[in-house]
Amino acid sequence: KFAAQEADTETNDVKKRPAFWVNLGSWVRFDAQTEKLMIKAEQAGESEVRFSARGQSYLVNLEIMEQVNLATGMCREVKRTEEDVASNNQEEEEVVSEESDAEGEDDAEPSNMRFQEPAESSRSPRLQKLVDKILSPAVQVPLPSQAKEEPELLTEDQVKQVFKDNVPGVEEFLFRDLSGEYSLNFMATAYRTGLRAFHGTDMNNHLMWLMRSIVHHGHEKKPGAQSKLREIAEAFRDCQAVQARVIEKTGLELLGVSSDFRGLVRTMVGDYKSMAIKMLAMDHISRQFVSDDGNPTHYENRLTADLGLSVGLNKDDVRRADMDEHAGNRFGRLTGKRLDDAVKRFRNLFDMEALVSTFRNEVNSFSENSPVESLPQQFLKWASECMRQKHIVFDEETCCKVDIEYELSLAVLEVLFLGTTGAEEAETYRGEKLNDLFLPVTVVDDAPPASPAEPGKAGEKQAKGKKGDAKGKGKGKGKSKAK
């Protein structure tokens, strides 16, 4: 009787809390502050939520579950899930939120991003083992193939017209909100000669040819052109580091550069590493380790260059970060204890549980319309080759839709990157021993472990010359205080 009462009490203590996600190629959860706005709107019966991030204004429609960039009109799918939250934790969280609201704007963080640090000690040994492998050069997105030469076929006016025809209001887009600095002019220049920041580097032709491919795709009115051109136009409202990242990502997608299942999951892992870098940058800025000009991209590049070898950041991100002269001039390299502390903080901020959940959601989104090269399709192909009981990835009632739970999702990632699950011998999944579900596999790492003491290269030339030194005595306000 007492046991039953305790069980009832435990059940009653667990409540459901909404979680909201946006589709950025893979499902990514909204930051806590924006999610709080959505929950309040939902509770009040409101259908729309407005918020700002990275200098852009957005509207989320909770009825049709869609996010719209109010400047460009670009739409992204939104979804709502639920997670278990213990009632006592929820009460604590609400108290903290109320206190934060009462503090006033002067005490607020310089971004709408707020995050809790997931303490490394809170991870189970099983999960920590997978994190240690994933946050290493053994799991690293390699450099993409060099783009093929694309000739200059259009005049400056024709290039601008391509964007005008596909991106409403693009004529008014400004670079960094600077009066008279119209983004269209910079886009036309990038088509003709590439991005100025990359002139004289191996990246210049690569980015210029990709930019031309994107514009030609739009000029020929091929499928998907509008969304690609919108992404490019949005990027040209920001600095050249952002422009380069979006040009490369969009251009390679357009050229059909695809991956197998492991490669697609590795890309998802890379996205979560990139998010952890952004969180680390905001953490350092909010704690006044460094100061910035409201655009954290260059400090993110500083961290990417310095931490890239240690935690296996995407090689193309590291390469671009190495070429960011602003990062090299304004921020000193992290070395020694400062680098070790930053790596440790990065590992704590990396959200492994969210990665597993996103992977699960992506796999379960399979439908008859899923492209052959998509992650859900590639997962089914992998499962047919690497799992003994292939039907176990489908729902139990009808066996007509893909439906894997968190436990199997975690086990798949372990097999993919460690070669075996970390499950206990007796652990089961839908009545079957979890360890018996997989065939033996051979794991091939992406790269051998790198020396953690080896620094990044960004600003190396400046460190040796007049523009700065390893202590960050460069131009601007970005002198590092991190210890």
Side-chain angles (χ1 to χ4, degrees):
K1 181 177 179 181
F2 289 127
Q5 288 176 342
E6 289 177 4
D8 288 342
T9 301
E10 184 176 335
T11 301
N12 291 335
D13 284 343
V14 178
K15 297 182 179 180
K16 295 290 186 182
R17 176 195 176 106
F20 290 89
W21 308 71
V22 62
N23 190 347
L24 302 178
S26 60
W27 289 105
V28 176
R29 189 167 176 176
F30 282 97
D31 63 89
Q33 188 174 357
T34 304
E35 193 171 79
K36 180 183 173 184
L37 294 175
M38 294 181 182
I39 293 172
K40 285 185 176 179
E42 187 179 63
Q43 292 172 344
E46 299 172 356
S47 61
E48 293 185 347
V49 175
R50 294 173 182 264
F51 68 97
S52 298
R54 300 296 298 274
Q56 300 289 317
S57 296
Y58 299 91
L59 182 145
V60 173
N61 188 311
L62 296 175
E63 290 183 350
I64 62 175
M65 300 304 284
E66 185 177 73
Q67 172 186 286
V68 181
N69 184 309
L70 295 176
T72 66
M74 186 169 185
C75 300
R76 295 190 186 275
E77 186 181 2
V78 172
K79 71 177 180 181
R80 179 189 188 278
T81 60
E82 290 187 338
E83 60 181 4
D84 292 338
V85 180
S87 60
N88 59 337
N89 290 339
Q90 191 175 37
E91 289 170 4
E92 289 177 9
E93 197 167 276
E94 288 171 355
V95 170
V96 171
S97 297
E98 290 169 4
E99 290 175 353
S100 298
D101 291 342
E103 287 173 355
E105 292 184 2
D106 289 343
D107 294 326
E109 292 178 17
S111 166
N112 77 322
M113 293 180 63
R114 293 177 183 267
F115 53 87
Q116 283 184 311
E117 176 186 340
E120 192 166 341
S121 59
S122 68
R123 295 186 183 126
S124 66
R126 175 183 176 182
L127 203 60
Q128 188 61 50
K129 183 178 181 181
L130 180 57
V131 169
D132 290 342
K133 182 61 176 286
I134 282 177
L135 299 187
S136 76
V139 182
Q140 184 177 35
V141 177
L143 286 173
S145 302
Q146 181 76 8
K148 294 183 179 179
E149 183 173 358
E150 185 76 12
E152 181 183 355
L153 301 177
L154 306 178
T155 65
E156 180 176 335
D157 288 340
Q158 287 176 315
V159 172
K160 292 181 178 180
Q161 193 61 48
V162 169
F163 283 98
K164 291 177 183 178
D165 291 343
N166 290 276
V167 185
V170 71
E171 300 96 324
E172 304 302 321
F173 284 16
L174 296 175
F175 170 71
R176 303 294 302 278
D177 292 327
L178 298 174
S179 178
E181 299 289 345
Y182 292 102
S183 300
L184 264 179
N185 295 330
F186 295 105
M187 287 185 266
T189 300
Y191 171 90
R192 189 175 67 256
T193 62
L195 298 176
R196 183 177 56 80
F198 293 88
H199 285 179
T201 73
D202 294 337
M203 282 286 288
N204 189 60
N205 283 341
H206 175 69
L207 293 171
M208 181 177 65
W209 293 337
L210 288 175
M211 180 69 175
R212 290 176 181 175
S213 297
I214 296 165
V215 174
H216 294 164
H217 187 82
H219 182 67
E220 295 165 13
K221 296 180 170 56
K222 291 185 177 179
Q226 279 194 336
S227 63
K228 304 294 185 189
L229 291 168
R230 282 177 182 171
E231 288 185 49
I232 294 296
E234 273 197 69
F236 272 78
R237 303 176 75 167
D238 212 324
C239 65
Q240 292 182 74
V242 173
Q243 295 167 21
R245 182 166 66 235
V246 175
I247 288 173
E248 186 167 46
K249 172 182 173 292
T250 305
L252 293 175
E253 287 175 355
L254 197 62
L255 296 177
V257 177
S258 59
S259 301
D260 59 8
F261 176 61
R262 187 182 189 279
L264 291 170
V265 176
R266 182 177 58 195
T267 298
M268 182 181 289
V269 170
D271 291 341
Y272 271 82
K273 290 182 182 182
S274 297
M275 281 193 282
I277 284 289
K278 292 179 184 295
M279 293 168 72
L280 180 61
M282 291 308 305
D283 178 54
H284 282 185
I285 292 169
S286 66
R287 293 161 67 185
Q288 298 184 339
F289 285 177
V290 295
S291 59
D292 76 335
D293 58 359
N295 176 20
T297 301
H298 297 297
Y299 186 60
E300 290 168 10
N301 281 346
R302 173 75 277 159
L303 294 173
T304 297
D306 294 345
L307 274 65
L309 290 171
S310 300
V311 299
L313 299 176
N314 297 351
K315 285 190 175 182
D316 58 337
D317 290 342
V318 176
R319 177 172 65 175
R320 285 193 303 271
D322 283 341
M323 297 179 184
D324 187 345
E325 290 189 1
H326 291 290
N329 286 336
R330 295 175 54 203
F331 304 106
R333 288 204 308 267
L334 296 178
T335 57
K337 186 177 184 302
R338 291 193 301 157
L339 178 59
D340 292 340
D341 289 346
V343 169
K344 182 178 179 180
R345 183 72 167 162
F346 172 88
R347 291 179 179 277
N348 287 348
L349 292 172
F350 184 82
D351 197 339
M352 188 66 217
E353 291 84 355
L355 172 60
V356 177
S357 296
T358 298
F359 169 74
R360 177 195 175 197
N361 292 333
E362 190 74 14
V363 167
N364 289 345
S365 70
F366 172 81
S367 72
E368 60 183 8
N369 298 320
S370 297
V372 175
E373 68 276 7
S374 68
L375 190 147
Q377 282 272 22
Q378 290 296 316
F379 168 72
L380 290 181
K381 179 181 178 182
W382 180 88
S384 69
E385 297 170 352
C386 300
M387 297 187 69
R388 288 191 173 92
Q389 299 191 39
K390 304 163 184 58
H391 66 276
I392 209 162
V393 304
F394 296 99
D395 69 295
E396 295 183 277
E397 289 186 11
T398 66
C399 279
C400 291
K401 64 177 182 178
V402 177
D403 181 25
I404 65 171
E405 298 174 36
Y406 183 93
E407 294 76 15
L408 183 58
S409 302
L410 175 59
V412 169
L413 294 179
E414 288 174 323
V415 171
L416 204 57
F417 297 118
L418 297 174
T420 183
T421 77
E424 298 289 340
E425 181 61 31
E427 187 174 343
T428 61
Y429 180 80
R430 296 179 181 174
E432 303 289 340
K433 281 192 173 183
L434 194 54
N435 288 329
D436 293 341
L437 295 179
F438 300 92
L439 295 167
V441 300
T442 301
V443 175
V444 178
D445 291 342
D446 296 312
S451 169
E454 186 174 351
K457 298 178 183 177
E460 208 163 69
K461 290 184 293 184
Q462 291 83 352
K464 296 176 182 178
K466 299 179 181 179
K467 295 185 179 180
D469 59 31
K471 295 181 181 179
K473 296 179 181 178
K475 297 178 181 179
K477 300 185 292 182
K479 188 179 292 185
S480 175
K481 301 179 187 176
K483 295 183 179 180

